[in-house]
Amino acid sequence: MPPTTTQPRKTPKQERSAATRARILAAGAEVFGEHGYAAGTTNRIAERAGLSIGSLYQYFPNKDAILVQLMRDHVEAGVGEIARRLGDVAGLPEGLEERVALFVDAAMANHAGNPRLHRVLFEESPVPADLRAELDRAEAWAVDVVAAMPAEEPSVRVGEPRLAAYVVVSTIESLTHRYLAGGDRYGSPEAFARHVVAMVTAYLRGA
Amino acid sequence: MPPTTTQPRKTPKQERSAATRARILAAGAEVFGEHGYAAGTTNRIAERAGLSIGSLYQYFPNKDAILVQLMRDHVEAGVGEIARRLGDVAGLPEGLEERVALFVDAAMANHAGNPRLHRVLFEESPVPADLRAELDRAEAWAVDVVAAMPAEEPSVRVGEPRLAAYVVVSTIESLTHRYLAGGDRYGSPEAFARHVVAMVTAYLRGA
DNA sequence: GTCTATAATTAGATAGAC
DNA sequence: GTCTATCTAATTATAGAC
């Protein structure tokens, strides 16, 4: 008799495999964050993950594959975080300022996790062309989302809405990254976020 | 008889040496820009500079020294450009918007030279701790300069002026870098600059 | 599936002749 | 001062036993 429950479910073997993969990625995040890209060697990652170098290569074809997956995960988390907050219609704020704050808070949360790693990933590592394209698509998605907002928000009066949306997305992404990578030398995270929100809001309302 | 003109002047030998150094740096800029950091090997740089690898090491102690010098030159050019424009008192604009535009234009000019190289330098290369400190000092200088502006500009009403100055500096530096590194997908350089100026100005004037 | 040992590659840097 | 030839060192990645 065939099993009654054959719905797609991971076999124990696949689960173990996925867990090992996750362990390698976690180790990679630690090692890259601590040692940087060049000194973040596969041997160190394997050691940190508690397995041998030979086993590591059973799960990832090369060093950069680990790095790329970490980058991908980070971007996906960011996109997912924004999408989740936007989808949460019940709590979607009405005012422009509150909506901007939603994006800023999501970006701060996304980058706050491991600033040191984030810096290594995006300031010190070579980005393959295909991942670069993926990052551009994520940016384009965010631009679309932001560009759709003004239509339903009468207080927005800035011209060239698509360029404006790009400026907004770039500003939030770049500034939060830079602030968190550089340390809070000029103010608390809360104060900084407040200023970014104020700047973007003032911009969107028109001068 | 001793030479009548012994005023500090470079001997021909020093001039030749400086010229070779400059040739290596120019070659380094090209090679790093074309191949990236890792593939920008010293052998390639020497070849491009038209001398042997052995000679290259007469002028620079190691690969990173070439890279660091390129970074330093870029930052110095940026600082110099702003200082020059600020020092040009006759032409220093009166209005807030025009002053902000001065900074934005300087940043655009500084990054526009070789965006590809700039990207390799600051997104793909390891930054030594001492250079990092130097970059931070340059940023602090720019923050001081910007922070000094509101005092004499009644239309500035943003709170926490030092944090605001940091936000302004970060915004201009980050956005121009990002725009020029990413290509003008969302608008012309002029339109982009106009938007950045509008955003920063609106911010400084208060919401 | 995991390990150890090692091969293969390659770049950075140096020695020493000219 | 410049060159050629080479060395050293380190890393990625693989082979093959268990």
Side-chain angles (χ1 to χ4, degrees), chain A residues 119 123 132 139 159-160 166 171 173-174 178 186 194-195 199 203, chain B residues 119 123 132 139 159-160 166 171 173-174 178 186 194-195 199 203:
Chain A
R119 184 176 203 152
E123 289 185 22
R132 170 69 57 189
E139 181 186 83
E160 299 166 296
Y166 163 75
T171 299
E173 168 65 20
S174 296
R178 186 177 176 127
Y186 296 94
R194 206 169 2 94
H195 275 245
M199 178 167 70
Y203 166 56
Chain B
R119 186 176 201 150
E123 288 184 21
R132 170 69 58 189
E139 181 187 83
E160 297 165 299
Y166 163 74
T171 298
E173 167 66 22
S174 296
R178 187 177 175 126
Y186 296 95
R194 203 167 9 91
H195 275 245
M199 178 167 70
Y203 166 56

PDB file of all heavy atoms in Angstrom, chain A residues 119 123 132 139 159-160 166 171 173-174 178 186 194-195 199 203, chain B residues 119 123 132 139 159-160 166 171 173-174 178 186 194-195 199 203:
ATOM      1  N   ARG A 119      28.899  45.072   5.310  1.00  0.00           N
ATOM      2  CA  ARG A 119      29.950  45.892   4.723  1.00  0.00           C
ATOM      3  C   ARG A 119      30.893  45.043   3.870  1.00  0.00           C
ATOM      4  O   ARG A 119      31.271  45.427   2.768  1.00  0.00           O
ATOM      5  CB  ARG A 119      30.729  46.562   5.855  1.00  0.00           C
ATOM      6  CG  ARG A 119      31.780  47.502   5.395  1.00  0.00           C
ATOM      7  CD  ARG A 119      32.418  48.165   6.611  1.00  0.00           C
ATOM      8  NE  ARG A 119      33.028  49.417   6.270  1.00  0.00           N
ATOM      9  CZ  ARG A 119      33.171  50.429   7.119  1.00  0.00           C
ATOM     10  NH1 ARG A 119      32.690  50.340   8.328  1.00  0.00           N
ATOM     11  NH2 ARG A 119      33.763  51.530   6.747  1.00  0.00           N
ATOM     12  N   GLU A 123      30.923  46.021   0.111  1.00  0.00           N
ATOM     13  CA  GLU A 123      31.979  47.015  -0.079  1.00  0.00           C
ATOM     14  C   GLU A 123      33.321  46.372  -0.351  1.00  0.00           C
ATOM     15  O   GLU A 123      34.311  47.062  -0.547  1.00  0.00           O
ATOM     16  CB  GLU A 123      32.109  47.906   1.165  1.00  0.00           C
ATOM     17  CG  GLU A 123      30.961  48.856   1.366  1.00  0.00           C
ATOM     18  CD  GLU A 123      31.200  49.791   2.552  1.00  0.00           C
ATOM     19  OE1 GLU A 123      32.351  49.985   2.933  1.00  0.00           O
ATOM     20  OE2 GLU A 123      30.201  50.308   3.086  1.00  0.00           O
ATOM     21  N   ARG A 132      24.606  40.982  -9.856  1.00  0.00           N
ATOM     22  CA  ARG A 132      24.442  42.418 -10.080  1.00  0.00           C
ATOM     23  C   ARG A 132      23.087  42.684 -10.748  1.00  0.00           C
ATOM     24  O   ARG A 132      22.343  43.590 -10.354  1.00  0.00           O
ATOM     25  CB  ARG A 132      25.594  42.928 -10.958  1.00  0.00           C
ATOM     26  CG  ARG A 132      25.441  44.335 -11.476  1.00  0.00           C
ATOM     27  CD  ARG A 132      25.532  45.394 -10.410  1.00  0.00           C
ATOM     28  NE  ARG A 132      26.792  45.320  -9.670  1.00  0.00           N
ATOM     29  CZ  ARG A 132      27.058  46.022  -8.581  1.00  0.00           C
ATOM     30  NH1 ARG A 132      26.130  46.825  -8.075  1.00  0.00           N
ATOM     31  NH2 ARG A 132      28.205  45.914  -7.967  1.00  0.00           N
ATOM     32  N   GLU A 139      16.159  46.564  -6.980  1.00  0.00           N
ATOM     33  CA  GLU A 139      16.064  48.025  -6.904  1.00  0.00           C
ATOM     34  C   GLU A 139      14.897  48.521  -7.759  1.00  0.00           C
ATOM     35  O   GLU A 139      14.108  49.366  -7.319  1.00  0.00           O
ATOM     36  CB  GLU A 139      17.364  48.671  -7.381  1.00  0.00           C
ATOM     37  CG  GLU A 139      17.340  50.175  -7.307  1.00  0.00           C
ATOM     38  CD  GLU A 139      18.589  50.802  -7.933  1.00  0.00           C
ATOM     39  OE1 GLU A 139      18.621  50.975  -9.183  1.00  0.00           O
ATOM     40  OE2 GLU A 139      19.517  51.123  -7.187  1.00  0.00           O
ATOM     41  N   GLY A 159       8.218  66.589  -9.013  1.00  0.00           N
ATOM     42  CA  GLY A 159       8.111  66.292 -10.434  1.00  0.00           C
ATOM     43  C   GLY A 159       8.876  65.040 -10.825  1.00  0.00           C
ATOM     44  O   GLY A 159       9.576  64.445 -10.004  1.00  0.00           O
ATOM     45  N   GLU A 160       8.703  64.600 -12.072  1.00  0.00           N
ATOM     46  CA  GLU A 160       9.403  63.419 -12.597  1.00  0.00           C
ATOM     47  C   GLU A 160       9.348  62.254 -11.618  1.00  0.00           C
ATOM     48  O   GLU A 160      10.362  61.842 -11.055  1.00  0.00           O
ATOM     49  CB  GLU A 160      10.854  63.780 -12.917  1.00  0.00           C
ATOM     50  CG  GLU A 160      10.968  64.865 -13.974  1.00  0.00           C
ATOM     51  CD  GLU A 160      12.379  65.459 -14.052  1.00  0.00           C
ATOM     52  OE1 GLU A 160      12.807  66.075 -13.054  1.00  0.00           O
ATOM     53  OE2 GLU A 160      13.023  65.286 -15.090  1.00  0.00           O
ATOM     54  N   TYR A 166      13.356  56.732  -7.720  1.00  0.00           N
ATOM     55  CA  TYR A 166      14.726  56.206  -7.689  1.00  0.00           C
ATOM     56  C   TYR A 166      15.561  56.932  -6.636  1.00  0.00           C
ATOM     57  O   TYR A 166      16.319  56.303  -5.879  1.00  0.00           O
ATOM     58  CB  TYR A 166      15.381  56.346  -9.069  1.00  0.00           C
ATOM     59  CG  TYR A 166      16.875  56.219  -9.034  1.00  0.00           C
ATOM     60  CD1 TYR A 166      17.483  54.974  -8.881  1.00  0.00           C
ATOM     61  CD2 TYR A 166      17.698  57.340  -9.129  1.00  0.00           C
ATOM     62  CE1 TYR A 166      18.862  54.856  -8.834  1.00  0.00           C
ATOM     63  CE2 TYR A 166      19.078  57.234  -9.083  1.00  0.00           C
ATOM     64  CZ  TYR A 166      19.652  55.991  -8.939  1.00  0.00           C
ATOM     65  OH  TYR A 166      21.008  55.881  -8.881  1.00  0.00           O
ATOM     66  N   THR A 171      18.361  56.839  -1.693  1.00  0.00           N
ATOM     67  CA  THR A 171      18.657  57.564  -0.462  1.00  0.00           C
ATOM     68  C   THR A 171      18.494  56.672   0.753  1.00  0.00           C
ATOM     69  O   THR A 171      19.395  56.571   1.599  1.00  0.00           O
ATOM     70  CB  THR A 171      17.728  58.786  -0.326  1.00  0.00           C
ATOM     71  OG1 THR A 171      17.949  59.668  -1.421  1.00  0.00           O
ATOM     72  CG2 THR A 171      17.976  59.506   0.982  1.00  0.00           C
ATOM     73  N   GLU A 173      18.300  53.356   0.978  1.00  0.00           N
ATOM     74  CA  GLU A 173      19.215  52.220   0.979  1.00  0.00           C
ATOM     75  C   GLU A 173      20.649  52.654   1.284  1.00  0.00           C
ATOM     76  O   GLU A 173      21.320  52.090   2.145  1.00  0.00           O
ATOM     77  CB  GLU A 173      19.147  51.516  -0.385  1.00  0.00           C
ATOM     78  CG  GLU A 173      20.226  50.498  -0.636  1.00  0.00           C
ATOM     79  CD  GLU A 173      20.174  49.292   0.278  1.00  0.00           C
ATOM     80  OE1 GLU A 173      19.092  49.043   0.860  1.00  0.00           O
ATOM     81  OE2 GLU A 173      21.222  48.630   0.441  1.00  0.00           O
ATOM     82  N   SER A 174      21.110  53.674   0.596  1.00  0.00           N
ATOM     83  CA  SER A 174      22.500  54.098   0.760  1.00  0.00           C
ATOM     84  C   SER A 174      22.762  54.667   2.154  1.00  0.00           C
ATOM     85  O   SER A 174      23.771  54.344   2.782  1.00  0.00           O
ATOM     86  CB  SER A 174      22.855  55.157  -0.288  1.00  0.00           C
ATOM     87  OG  SER A 174      22.792  54.615  -1.576  1.00  0.00           O
ATOM     88  N   ARG A 178      25.245  53.165   4.941  1.00  0.00           N
ATOM     89  CA  ARG A 178      26.399  53.957   5.344  1.00  0.00           C
ATOM     90  C   ARG A 178      26.392  54.256   6.843  1.00  0.00           C
ATOM     91  O   ARG A 178      27.427  54.165   7.512  1.00  0.00           O
ATOM     92  CB  ARG A 178      26.405  55.267   4.536  1.00  0.00           C
ATOM     93  CG  ARG A 178      27.629  56.115   4.758  1.00  0.00           C
ATOM     94  CD  ARG A 178      27.567  57.338   3.851  1.00  0.00           C
ATOM     95  NE  ARG A 178      28.672  58.228   4.095  1.00  0.00           N
ATOM     96  CZ  ARG A 178      29.496  58.676   3.154  1.00  0.00           C
ATOM     97  NH1 ARG A 178      29.327  58.308   1.920  1.00  0.00           N
ATOM     98  NH2 ARG A 178      30.488  59.492   3.450  1.00  0.00           N
ATOM     99  N   TYR A 186      27.305  60.417  14.761  1.00  0.00           N
ATOM    100  CA  TYR A 186      26.654  61.730  14.721  1.00  0.00           C
ATOM    101  C   TYR A 186      25.247  61.742  15.324  1.00  0.00           C
ATOM    102  O   TYR A 186      24.564  62.751  15.262  1.00  0.00           O
ATOM    103  CB  TYR A 186      26.612  62.249  13.287  1.00  0.00           C
ATOM    104  CG  TYR A 186      27.977  62.508  12.698  1.00  0.00           C
ATOM    105  CD1 TYR A 186      28.630  61.546  11.937  1.00  0.00           C
ATOM    106  CD2 TYR A 186      28.628  63.713  12.938  1.00  0.00           C
ATOM    107  CE1 TYR A 186      29.894  61.791  11.406  1.00  0.00           C
ATOM    108  CE2 TYR A 186      29.883  63.966  12.416  1.00  0.00           C
ATOM    109  CZ  TYR A 186      30.514  63.006  11.656  1.00  0.00           C
ATOM    110  OH  TYR A 186      31.758  63.241  11.141  1.00  0.00           O
ATOM    111  N   ARG A 194      14.941  59.488  11.964  1.00  0.00           N
ATOM    112  CA  ARG A 194      14.016  60.616  11.962  1.00  0.00           C
ATOM    113  C   ARG A 194      14.424  61.642  10.895  1.00  0.00           C
ATOM    114  O   ARG A 194      13.585  62.145  10.133  1.00  0.00           O
ATOM    115  CB  ARG A 194      14.013  61.258  13.352  1.00  0.00           C
ATOM    116  CG  ARG A 194      12.752  61.981  13.687  1.00  0.00           C
ATOM    117  CD  ARG A 194      12.612  62.413  15.163  1.00  0.00           C
ATOM    118  NE  ARG A 194      13.700  62.127  16.050  1.00  0.00           N
ATOM    119  CZ  ARG A 194      14.696  62.987  16.334  1.00  0.00           C
ATOM    120  NH1 ARG A 194      14.737  64.179  15.741  1.00  0.00           N
ATOM    121  NH2 ARG A 194      15.635  62.658  17.203  1.00  0.00           N
ATOM    122  N   HIS A 195      15.714  61.892  10.835  1.00  0.00           N
ATOM    123  CA  HIS A 195      16.192  62.862   9.856  1.00  0.00           C
ATOM    124  C   HIS A 195      16.011  62.379   8.425  1.00  0.00           C
ATOM    125  O   HIS A 195      15.638  63.152   7.545  1.00  0.00           O
ATOM    126  CB  HIS A 195      17.665  63.191  10.141  1.00  0.00           C
ATOM    127  CG  HIS A 195      17.856  64.254  11.166  1.00  0.00           C
ATOM    128  ND1 HIS A 195      18.406  65.473  10.883  1.00  0.00           N
ATOM    129  CD2 HIS A 195      17.537  64.274  12.486  1.00  0.00           C
ATOM    130  CE1 HIS A 195      18.446  66.202  11.984  1.00  0.00           C
ATOM    131  NE2 HIS A 195      17.925  65.501  12.985  1.00  0.00           N
ATOM    132  N   MET A 199      13.843  64.253   5.605  1.00  0.00           N
ATOM    133  CA  MET A 199      14.406  64.704   4.330  1.00  0.00           C
ATOM    134  C   MET A 199      13.593  64.172   3.158  1.00  0.00           C
ATOM    135  O   MET A 199      13.211  64.936   2.254  1.00  0.00           O
ATOM    136  CB  MET A 199      15.864  64.268   4.212  1.00  0.00           C
ATOM    137  CG  MET A 199      16.505  64.651   2.890  1.00  0.00           C
ATOM    138  SD  MET A 199      18.289  64.471   2.893  1.00  0.00           S
ATOM    139  CE  MET A 199      18.435  62.690   2.928  1.00  0.00           C
ATOM    140  N   TYR A 203      11.176  66.308   0.570  1.00  0.00           N
ATOM    141  CA  TYR A 203      11.461  66.217  -0.864  1.00  0.00           C
ATOM    142  C   TYR A 203      10.212  65.848  -1.648  1.00  0.00           C
ATOM    143  O   TYR A 203       9.877  66.486  -2.663  1.00  0.00           O
ATOM    144  CB  TYR A 203      12.554  65.175  -1.050  1.00  0.00           C
ATOM    145  CG  TYR A 203      12.789  64.673  -2.446  1.00  0.00           C
ATOM    146  CD1 TYR A 203      13.070  65.539  -3.500  1.00  0.00           C
ATOM    147  CD2 TYR A 203      12.788  63.310  -2.699  1.00  0.00           C
ATOM    148  CE1 TYR A 203      13.326  65.052  -4.771  1.00  0.00           C
ATOM    149  CE2 TYR A 203      13.048  62.807  -3.962  1.00  0.00           C
ATOM    150  CZ  TYR A 203      13.310  63.686  -4.995  1.00  0.00           C
ATOM    151  OH  TYR A 203      13.570  63.200  -6.238  1.00  0.00           O
TER     152      TYR A 203
ATOM    153  N   ARG B 119      34.151  52.577  -8.620  1.00  0.00           N
ATOM    154  CA  ARG B 119      33.396  51.456  -8.084  1.00  0.00           C
ATOM    155  C   ARG B 119      34.332  50.367  -7.579  1.00  0.00           C
ATOM    156  O   ARG B 119      34.129  49.804  -6.500  1.00  0.00           O
ATOM    157  CB  ARG B 119      32.497  50.897  -9.188  1.00  0.00           C
ATOM    158  CG  ARG B 119      31.565  49.817  -8.726  1.00  0.00           C
ATOM    159  CD  ARG B 119      30.656  49.418  -9.892  1.00  0.00           C
ATOM    160  NE  ARG B 119      29.447  48.777  -9.444  1.00  0.00           N
ATOM    161  CZ  ARG B 119      28.300  48.839 -10.099  1.00  0.00           C
ATOM    162  NH1 ARG B 119      28.205  49.540 -11.205  1.00  0.00           N
ATOM    163  NH2 ARG B 119      27.247  48.205  -9.646  1.00  0.00           N
ATOM    164  N   GLU B 123      34.038  49.709  -3.752  1.00  0.00           N
ATOM    165  CA  GLU B 123      33.034  48.655  -3.547  1.00  0.00           C
ATOM    166  C   GLU B 123      33.636  47.269  -3.620  1.00  0.00           C
ATOM    167  O   GLU B 123      32.945  46.281  -3.461  1.00  0.00           O
ATOM    168  CB  GLU B 123      31.924  48.752  -4.613  1.00  0.00           C
ATOM    169  CG  GLU B 123      31.008  49.932  -4.422  1.00  0.00           C
ATOM    170  CD  GLU B 123      29.878  49.924  -5.435  1.00  0.00           C
ATOM    171  OE1 GLU B 123      29.570  48.869  -5.989  1.00  0.00           O
ATOM    172  OE2 GLU B 123      29.312  51.012  -5.674  1.00  0.00           O
ATOM    173  N   ARG B 132      41.073  54.069   6.067  1.00  0.00           N
ATOM    174  CA  ARG B 132      39.715  54.218   6.579  1.00  0.00           C
ATOM    175  C   ARG B 132      39.640  55.429   7.498  1.00  0.00           C
ATOM    176  O   ARG B 132      38.713  56.248   7.417  1.00  0.00           O
ATOM    177  CB  ARG B 132      39.305  52.940   7.320  1.00  0.00           C
ATOM    178  CG  ARG B 132      38.019  53.011   8.123  1.00  0.00           C
ATOM    179  CD  ARG B 132      36.783  53.135   7.269  1.00  0.00           C
ATOM    180  NE  ARG B 132      36.643  52.031   6.319  1.00  0.00           N
ATOM    181  CZ  ARG B 132      35.737  51.992   5.340  1.00  0.00           C
ATOM    182  NH1 ARG B 132      34.899  53.010   5.186  1.00  0.00           N
ATOM    183  NH2 ARG B 132      35.667  50.971   4.522  1.00  0.00           N
ATOM    184  N   GLU B 139      35.527  62.985   5.736  1.00  0.00           N
ATOM    185  CA  GLU B 139      34.085  63.131   5.942  1.00  0.00           C
ATOM    186  C   GLU B 139      33.811  64.139   7.056  1.00  0.00           C
ATOM    187  O   GLU B 139      32.941  64.999   6.925  1.00  0.00           O
ATOM    188  CB  GLU B 139      33.465  61.775   6.304  1.00  0.00           C
ATOM    189  CG  GLU B 139      31.962  61.837   6.513  1.00  0.00           C
ATOM    190  CD  GLU B 139      31.405  60.513   7.026  1.00  0.00           C
ATOM    191  OE1 GLU B 139      31.464  60.262   8.264  1.00  0.00           O
ATOM    192  OE2 GLU B 139      30.919  59.724   6.216  1.00  0.00           O
ATOM    193  N   GLY B 159      16.655  70.850  12.727  1.00  0.00           N
ATOM    194  CA  GLY B 159      17.192  70.687  14.077  1.00  0.00           C
ATOM    195  C   GLY B 159      18.462  69.858  14.086  1.00  0.00           C
ATOM    196  O   GLY B 159      18.855  69.290  13.068  1.00  0.00           O
ATOM    197  N   GLU B 160      19.106  69.785  15.214  1.00  0.00           N
ATOM    198  CA  GLU B 160      20.317  68.978  15.399  1.00  0.00           C
ATOM    199  C   GLU B 160      21.291  69.181  14.239  1.00  0.00           C
ATOM    200  O   GLU B 160      21.545  68.258  13.453  1.00  0.00           O
ATOM    201  CB  GLU B 160      19.949  67.508  15.521  1.00  0.00           C
ATOM    202  CG  GLU B 160      19.084  67.208  16.743  1.00  0.00           C
ATOM    203  CD  GLU B 160      18.417  65.834  16.674  1.00  0.00           C
ATOM    204  OE1 GLU B 160      17.626  65.619  15.737  1.00  0.00           O
ATOM    205  OE2 GLU B 160      18.703  64.999  17.530  1.00  0.00           O
ATOM    206  N   TYR B 166      25.841  65.823   8.771  1.00  0.00           N
ATOM    207  CA  TYR B 166      26.276  64.470   8.410  1.00  0.00           C
ATOM    208  C   TYR B 166      25.336  63.858   7.385  1.00  0.00           C
ATOM    209  O   TYR B 166      25.770  63.231   6.411  1.00  0.00           O
ATOM    210  CB  TYR B 166      26.343  63.581   9.661  1.00  0.00           C
ATOM    211  CG  TYR B 166      26.376  62.106   9.355  1.00  0.00           C
ATOM    212  CD1 TYR B 166      27.530  61.500   8.859  1.00  0.00           C
ATOM    213  CD2 TYR B 166      25.238  61.314   9.530  1.00  0.00           C
ATOM    214  CE1 TYR B 166      27.551  60.151   8.558  1.00  0.00           C
ATOM    215  CE2 TYR B 166      25.256  59.967   9.233  1.00  0.00           C
ATOM    216  CZ  TYR B 166      26.418  59.390   8.741  1.00  0.00           C
ATOM    217  OH  TYR B 166      26.424  58.057   8.438  1.00  0.00           O
ATOM    218  N   THR B 171      24.408  61.988   2.091  1.00  0.00           N
ATOM    219  CA  THR B 171      23.461  61.932   0.988  1.00  0.00           C
ATOM    220  C   THR B 171      24.136  62.292  -0.326  1.00  0.00           C
ATOM    221  O   THR B 171      24.038  61.551  -1.313  1.00  0.00           O
ATOM    222  CB  THR B 171      22.297  62.905   1.248  1.00  0.00           C
ATOM    223  OG1 THR B 171      21.604  62.500   2.429  1.00  0.00           O
ATOM    224  CG2 THR B 171      21.333  62.917   0.073  1.00  0.00           C
ATOM    225  N   GLU B 173      27.373  62.436  -1.111  1.00  0.00           N
ATOM    226  CA  GLU B 173      28.441  61.517  -1.471  1.00  0.00           C
ATOM    227  C   GLU B 173      27.879  60.166  -1.940  1.00  0.00           C
ATOM    228  O   GLU B 173      28.241  59.639  -2.983  1.00  0.00           O
ATOM    229  CB  GLU B 173      29.386  61.323  -0.274  1.00  0.00           C
ATOM    230  CG  GLU B 173      30.349  60.178  -0.374  1.00  0.00           C
ATOM    231  CD  GLU B 173      31.376  60.362  -1.479  1.00  0.00           C
ATOM    232  OE1 GLU B 173      31.607  61.512  -1.890  1.00  0.00           O
ATOM    233  OE2 GLU B 173      31.935  59.340  -1.945  1.00  0.00           O
ATOM    234  N   SER B 174      26.963  59.616  -1.163  1.00  0.00           N
ATOM    235  CA  SER B 174      26.433  58.286  -1.489  1.00  0.00           C
ATOM    236  C   SER B 174      25.623  58.283  -2.773  1.00  0.00           C
ATOM    237  O   SER B 174      25.768  57.399  -3.619  1.00  0.00           O
ATOM    238  CB  SER B 174      25.559  57.766  -0.342  1.00  0.00           C
ATOM    239  OG  SER B 174      26.330  57.584   0.825  1.00  0.00           O
ATOM    240  N   ARG B 178      26.484  56.321  -6.192  1.00  0.00           N
ATOM    241  CA  ARG B 178      25.567  55.274  -6.639  1.00  0.00           C
ATOM    242  C   ARG B 178      25.020  55.545  -8.028  1.00  0.00           C
ATOM    243  O   ARG B 178      24.920  54.650  -8.864  1.00  0.00           O
ATOM    244  CB  ARG B 178      24.424  55.156  -5.627  1.00  0.00           C
ATOM    245  CG  ARG B 178      23.494  53.995  -5.875  1.00  0.00           C
ATOM    246  CD  ARG B 178      22.440  53.940  -4.767  1.00  0.00           C
ATOM    247  NE  ARG B 178      21.459  52.911  -5.029  1.00  0.00           N
ATOM    248  CZ  ARG B 178      21.149  51.952  -4.165  1.00  0.00           C
ATOM    249  NH1 ARG B 178      21.772  51.889  -3.004  1.00  0.00           N
ATOM    250  NH2 ARG B 178      20.241  51.051  -4.454  1.00  0.00           N
ATOM    251  N   TYR B 186      17.540  56.236 -14.705  1.00  0.00           N
ATOM    252  CA  TYR B 186      16.292  56.898 -14.334  1.00  0.00           C
ATOM    253  C   TYR B 186      16.249  58.379 -14.682  1.00  0.00           C
ATOM    254  O   TYR B 186      15.306  59.068 -14.330  1.00  0.00           O
ATOM    255  CB  TYR B 186      16.021  56.701 -12.841  1.00  0.00           C
ATOM    256  CG  TYR B 186      15.801  55.253 -12.465  1.00  0.00           C
ATOM    257  CD1 TYR B 186      16.846  54.460 -11.994  1.00  0.00           C
ATOM    258  CD2 TYR B 186      14.547  54.663 -12.594  1.00  0.00           C
ATOM    259  CE1 TYR B 186      16.646  53.139 -11.653  1.00  0.00           C
ATOM    260  CE2 TYR B 186      14.332  53.352 -12.258  1.00  0.00           C
ATOM    261  CZ  TYR B 186      15.383  52.593 -11.787  1.00  0.00           C
ATOM    262  OH  TYR B 186      15.181  51.281 -11.456  1.00  0.00           O
ATOM    263  N   ARG B 194      19.635  67.871 -10.065  1.00  0.00           N
ATOM    264  CA  ARG B 194      18.573  68.801  -9.677  1.00  0.00           C
ATOM    265  C   ARG B 194      17.728  68.217  -8.536  1.00  0.00           C
ATOM    266  O   ARG B 194      17.394  68.909  -7.566  1.00  0.00           O
ATOM    267  CB  ARG B 194      17.708  69.082 -10.910  1.00  0.00           C
ATOM    268  CG  ARG B 194      16.954  70.360 -10.849  1.00  0.00           C
ATOM    269  CD  ARG B 194      16.344  70.809 -12.187  1.00  0.00           C
ATOM    270  NE  ARG B 194      16.389  69.890 -13.296  1.00  0.00           N
ATOM    271  CZ  ARG B 194      15.433  69.001 -13.596  1.00  0.00           C
ATOM    272  NH1 ARG B 194      14.358  68.905 -12.818  1.00  0.00           N
ATOM    273  NH2 ARG B 194      15.547  68.234 -14.660  1.00  0.00           N
ATOM    274  N   HIS B 195      17.412  66.949  -8.649  1.00  0.00           N
ATOM    275  CA  HIS B 195      16.590  66.328  -7.618  1.00  0.00           C
ATOM    276  C   HIS B 195      17.321  66.240  -6.282  1.00  0.00           C
ATOM    277  O   HIS B 195      16.727  66.465  -5.228  1.00  0.00           O
ATOM    278  CB  HIS B 195      16.145  64.938  -8.083  1.00  0.00           C
ATOM    279  CG  HIS B 195      14.915  64.969  -8.925  1.00  0.00           C
ATOM    280  ND1 HIS B 195      13.732  64.394  -8.534  1.00  0.00           N
ATOM    281  CD2 HIS B 195      14.673  65.528 -10.134  1.00  0.00           C
ATOM    282  CE1 HIS B 195      12.813  64.577  -9.473  1.00  0.00           C
ATOM    283  NE2 HIS B 195      13.368  65.258 -10.458  1.00  0.00           N
ATOM    284  N   MET B 199      16.111  67.898  -2.831  1.00  0.00           N
ATOM    285  CA  MET B 199      15.862  67.129  -1.616  1.00  0.00           C
ATOM    286  C   MET B 199      16.624  67.707  -0.446  1.00  0.00           C
ATOM    287  O   MET B 199      16.053  67.952   0.632  1.00  0.00           O
ATOM    288  CB  MET B 199      16.240  65.663  -1.827  1.00  0.00           C
ATOM    289  CG  MET B 199      16.043  64.816  -0.588  1.00  0.00           C
ATOM    290  SD  MET B 199      16.128  63.052  -0.930  1.00  0.00           S
ATOM    291  CE  MET B 199      17.857  62.876  -1.306  1.00  0.00           C
ATOM    292  N   TYR B 203      15.100  69.675   2.870  1.00  0.00           N
ATOM    293  CA  TYR B 203      15.430  69.134   4.198  1.00  0.00           C
ATOM    294  C   TYR B 203      15.979  70.211   5.113  1.00  0.00           C
ATOM    295  O   TYR B 203      15.522  70.370   6.259  1.00  0.00           O
ATOM    296  CB  TYR B 203      16.429  67.999   3.994  1.00  0.00           C
ATOM    297  CG  TYR B 203      17.148  67.514   5.213  1.00  0.00           C
ATOM    298  CD1 TYR B 203      16.474  67.059   6.346  1.00  0.00           C
ATOM    299  CD2 TYR B 203      18.543  67.452   5.227  1.00  0.00           C
ATOM    300  CE1 TYR B 203      17.160  66.566   7.444  1.00  0.00           C
ATOM    301  CE2 TYR B 203      19.241  66.961   6.315  1.00  0.00           C
ATOM    302  CZ  TYR B 203      18.544  66.528   7.429  1.00  0.00           C
ATOM    303  OH  TYR B 203      19.228  66.041   8.491  1.00  0.00           O
TER     304      TYR B 203
END
